[in-house]
């Protein structure tokens, strides 16, 4: 029990130290609109990795994957990733790397209506 409390305290303390975080992610019918907040100094040549998995009955399979270099400015950053998604349920796996460091990572659910 003591270890669990210590681990929770460490995670809670580290949560405030995140300098980069994914915000809103939307799909407009032609592309994903990805919003990222960066409270740290600007970074050139960070890598944005996007993987889209189609979710079906008890299975999922990859329908899109892309990694691209981005400039990560201080404050709010907006990125557009063109992808054609059919009406269905998806999981988005989004990661930003700066050098060898994974700066931000999130998994989001996405429902594309017809």
């Amino acid at each position: 029990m003591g270890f669990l409390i210590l681990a929770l305290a460490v995670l809670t303390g580290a949560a405030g130290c995140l300098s980069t975080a994914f915000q809103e992610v939307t799909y407009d019918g032609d592309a994903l609109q990805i919003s990222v907040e960066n409270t740290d100094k600007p970074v050139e040549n960070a890598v944005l990795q996007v993987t889209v998995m189609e979710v079906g009955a008890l299975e999922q399979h990859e329908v899109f994957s892309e990694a691209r270099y981005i400039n990560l400015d201080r404050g709010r950053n907006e990125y557009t990733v063109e992808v054609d998604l059919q009406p269905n349920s998806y999981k988005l796996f989004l990661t930003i790397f700066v050098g060898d460091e994974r700066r931000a990572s999130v998994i989001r659910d996405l429902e594309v209506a017809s």
Side-chain angles (χ1 to χ4, degrees), residues 95-113:
T95 307
I96 292 179
F97 294 96
V98 175
D100 293 335
E101 172 192 3
R102 182 175 60 185
R103 182 74 67 90
S105 184
V106 70
I107 300 171
R108 297 275 172 87
D109 292 324
L110 175 68
E111 196 69 35
V112 176

Side-chain angles (χ1 to χ4, degrees), residues 27-32 52 54 62-66 81-88 90 110 112-113:
Y27 181 69
D28 66 7
D30 295 316
L32 293 169
V52 180
E54 186 175 33
E62 183 177 305
V63 295
F64 178 83
S65 184
E66 176 183 283
V81 177
E82 292 185 18
V83 59
D84 181 27
L85 299 176
Q86 301 304 310
N88 209 338
Y90 299 90
L110 175 68
V112 176

Side-chain angles (χ1 to χ4, degrees), residues 9-24:
V10 169
L11 288 174
T12 301
C17 299
L18 295 177
S19 61
T20 306
F22 286 97
Q23 302 294 319
E24 188 176 22

Side-chain angles (χ1 to χ4, degrees), residues 37-67:
E37 185 73 26
N38 179 37
T39 60
D40 203 355
K41 63 184 180 208
V43 176
E44 290 185 11
N45 294 322
V47 174
L48 171 62
Q49 181 177 335
V50 178
T51 302
V52 180
M53 304 291 282
E54 186 175 33
V55 179
L58 303 174
E59 65 181 27
Q60 61 184 15
H61 69 278
E62 183 177 305
V63 295
F64 178 83
S65 184
E66 176 183 283

